[in-house]
Amino acid sequence: MKNSETQFTTNRRDALKLLAAGSTAGILGLFGSPLARAENYVKPAYAKGMAPVKIKSVKAIPTAPEGINLIVVKVETTEPGLYGLGCATFTQRAEAVVTAINKYLNDFCAGKDVDNIEDIWQGAYVSSYWRNGGVLNNALSGLDEALWDIKGKRAGMPVYQLLGGKARFAVQCYTHASGRTNEEVIENVQKFISQGYQHVRIQLGAYGGVGTLGTNPAFRDAGFGGPTDDFMDQHAYLNSVPKMFKAVRAACGDTVELLHDIHERVEPMDAINLIKRLEEYNPFFIEDPFSPENMEWFKQLRVSTSVPIAMGELFNNINEFKMPMVNHWFDFIRIHISQIGGITPAMKVARLGEWFNIRTAWHGPGDVSPVGHAANCHIDLAVWNFGIQEAVRFSDKLQTIFSGCPTMNKDYMSVNEVPGLGVDINEKEAAKYPIGTKSNWQVRKNDGTIIRP
Ligand code: GCO
Ligand code: MG
């Protein structure tokens, strides 16, 4: 039996508990805390009578009509005929993204309310505990963009309207002019100028340019590395780029805006010296001077030259670019938006950029699906700090699979003006072009050292 002492303490403890509970309720009641209000929550008027639409399934639709792996996510809902599409294209690891979508996101999302995009995004983002990797972020992007597509369809509006409406009539784009010689590059630049382009990216050959044309690097003679590994002579490349700019400026004049992608292929100090040698040709921007592993070098670059810089297609993680943006380390943010998780995070990046006058130049090459290009374009229409959009031409074959692709009028891109993102997919056609797995980008120096590609 408890003695009087313990009885007292227990009573005292219970009394204190009661008091606490009473005072919490009192305090809560006083300040009208959410806890207190939750039970009074009423459905907003517009939703009265609207059955909440739930996610029924999330699946990956892989296709590779041009030999480039593309991954689209389809979110089907409990409302018959209502579904959304999103881009989850990580072309080098496509199979892994398909697994992440079909095995994990489908389970995670089934039964969730399609309207709560931010909540679903945050939930899916942390659901793996370890996060911010290319594979999971791309899967999340497919889901996210599909939910924005659905919200546009439910609202009866193109997605850019949900993002704040048009800040410009259409989206100005740049295109790629390359060639094995300066003469071929000039020919292509002139061709694009005649098509109405004012911004043209110039590259001699593939990334690394003439530096990759050497046939018998020492490592191959030594039997080192793989038989298909590329070779790059960095100095041949570094010497060729200023000559290319000089030749193009001489032939095409000062009006055309010229861009170039170093593609993180040279040593940081060589990149800085190269960019200084390009100053006189007034580039619109020079892209990816360094790899994401070398962000600190931007300090040196910024005090060495005033050439505008674009950075970021390899970024996956907010921590890779948040402070560099705050420190004005580059002028254009080049994110591959599915690599960070889609429209929801990309809008936050764009808004952050606005406060530091960093403009958008989203990644838009062939390894982004037409759904992804549409997502880029909807954001580009709506954000104030739009810079330029990388554009590709959608082949007839691609358009047999994807209808409603963004359209080009000279160098201006426009979205399909229908509710949602505007792009639809023919799954039967898509299935005719299965994805492949062979994508290991290996580039080596003469002695066989691996170069970041
Ligand atoms: C660009 C890019 C691409 C990438 C490609 C990787 O600026 O468009 O650098 O060409 O290399 O997307 O798969
Ligand atoms: Mg690039």
Side-chain angles (χ1 to χ4, degrees):
M1 214 244 349
K2 285 192 187 162
N3 64 25
S4 58
E5 176 54 31
T6 44
Q7 183 58 46
F8 171 72
T9 31
T10 352
N11 296 349
R12 194 175 63 206
R13 202 176 302 123
D14 295 348
L16 283 173
K17 263 201 225 137
L18 269 175
L19 193 66
S23 58
T24 321
I27 294 164
L28 293 177
L30 264 179
F31 298 112
S33 85
L35 284 181
R37 276 201 305 276
E39 59 274 6
N40 308 335
Y41 172 75
V42 285
K43 217 176 194 182
Y46 82 85
K48 277 225 167 69
M50 270 168 85
V53 176
K54 305 286 183 185
I55 295 177
K56 211 169 66 185
S57 67
V58 179
K59 72 173 183 185
I61 304 173
T63 187
E66 328 251 83
I68 301 174
N69 299 334
L70 304 175
I71 306 291
V72 166
V73 167
K74 184 171 188 175
V75 171
E76 293 185 285
T77 74
T78 50
E79 185 172 306
L82 177 62
Y83 61 86
L85 299 177
C87 184
T89 300
F90 179 1
T91 200
Q92 288 84 354
R93 292 295 172 268
E95 292 283 7
V97 178
V98 169
T99 304
I101 295 161
N102 293 345
K103 290 264 180 273
Y104 296 96
L105 281 188
N106 184 39
D107 286 359
F108 177 82
C109 295
K112 288 190 188 311
D113 187 329
V114 290
D115 284 337
N116 300 339
I117 302 179
E118 184 70 31
D119 178 61
I120 293 173
W121 196 96
Q122 296 292 349
Y125 174 62
V126 296
S127 64
S128 54
Y129 187 48
W130 279 274
R131 51 192 176 268
N132 275 320
V135 170
L136 295 181
N137 278 0
N138 271 278
L140 180 50
S141 164
L143 167 68
D144 176 75
E145 294 180 4
L147 293 174
W148 279 102
D149 193 20
I150 289 169
K151 195 175 274 294
K153 289 171 179 173
R154 277 170 62 67
M157 291 180 188
V159 168
Y160 71 77
Q161 289 292 15
L162 306 179
L163 302 176
K166 283 186 177 173
R168 53 201 55 77
F169 75 91
V171 167
Q172 193 162 33
C173 297
Y174 73 87
T175 188
H176 297 176
S178 63
R180 285 158 306 174
T181 62
N182 290 341
E183 291 63 38
E184 279 184 14
V185 174
I186 289 167
E187 233 173 77
N188 284 321
V189 172
Q190 287 164 337
K191 181 183 77 182
F192 290 125
I193 292 173
S194 68
Q195 291 173 6
Y197 280 93
Q198 293 163 32
H199 302 75
V200 181
R201 187 186 81 169
I202 53 175
Q203 309 281 143
L204 262 176
Y207 295 119
V210 295
T212 60
L213 299 180
T215 47
N216 248 344
F219 75 81
R220 222 182 301 285
D221 297 344
F224 184 83
T228 59
D229 294 357
D230 288 339
F231 158 61
M232 178 174 171
D233 174 340
Q234 293 175 317
H235 283 285
Y237 163 75
L238 290 165
N239 292 330
S240 70
V241 177
K243 293 188 186 117
M244 173 181 64
F245 268 83
K246 185 172 182 182
V248 173
R249 273 283 175 241
C252 306
D254 290 338
T255 322
V256 61
E257 298 280 12
L258 296 177
L259 299 71
H260 178 73
D261 192 346
I262 295 179
H263 216 265
E264 59 159 3
R265 288 278 179 112
V266 295
E267 310 305 331
M269 195 50 94
D270 288 337
I272 293 173
N273 290 330
L274 170 61
I275 295 169
K276 286 167 69 176
R277 291 168 65 190
L278 299 179
E279 273 181 8
E280 62 182 298
Y281 305 112
N282 191 23
F284 179 78
F285 72 50
I286 299 296
E287 178 182 346
D288 287 359
F290 313 130
S291 64
E293 294 86 351
N294 283 323
M295 293 307 287
E296 295 306 312
W297 280 87
F298 273 99
K299 275 194 206 126
Q300 178 83 31
L301 175 68
R302 284 313 227 188
V303 293
S304 308
T305 172
S306 57
V307 168
I309 302 293
M311 182 71 187
E313 68 187 47
L314 280 166
F315 290 154
N316 289 296
N317 180 333
I318 181 100
N319 297 316
E320 288 175 302
F321 53 83
K322 185 171 57 183
M323 291 318 293
M325 289 175 80
V326 170
N327 295 325
H328 299 106
W329 280 357
F330 43 79
D331 308 278
F332 295 88
I333 182 83
R334 279 274 294 136
I335 286 177
H336 182 103
I337 70 170
S338 66
Q339 284 291 353
I340 63 166
I343 292 174
T344 298
M347 282 301 290
K348 297 171 185 174
V349 173
R351 300 300 192 208
L352 173 67
E354 185 175 329
W355 302 122
F356 299 95
N357 223 76
I358 293 175
R359 289 168 283 165
T360 67
W362 307 124
H363 194 227
D367 48 327
V368 170
S369 75
V371 180
H373 283 284
N376 283 345
C377 198
H378 278 274
I379 298 173
D380 291 338
L381 283 167
V383 297
W384 174 76
N385 52 324
F386 165 74
I388 192 85
Q389 179 58 58
E390 180 178 20
V392 291
R393 283 164 291 284
F394 303 113
S395 70
D396 298 347
K397 199 184 207 180
L398 204 60
Q399 297 196 57
T400 60
I401 298 169
F402 295 95
S403 54
C405 294
T407 50
M408 296 298 295
N409 177 356
K410 292 199 169 119
D411 61 343
Y412 277 92
M413 182 191 277
S414 296
V415 293
N416 187 13
E417 292 282 358
V418 297
L421 288 172
V423 179
D424 206 349
I425 192 167
N426 176 329
E427 292 185 56
K428 223 154 132 280
E429 275 300 307
K432 288 182 183 162
Y433 309 98
I435 58 172
T437 54
K438 290 269 167 297
S439 176
N440 295 314
W441 210 344
Q442 303 284 276
V443 185
R444 295 177 183 276
K445 296 182 181 178
N446 206 25
D447 67 0
T449 308
I450 285 281
I451 293 174
R452 290 176 181 139

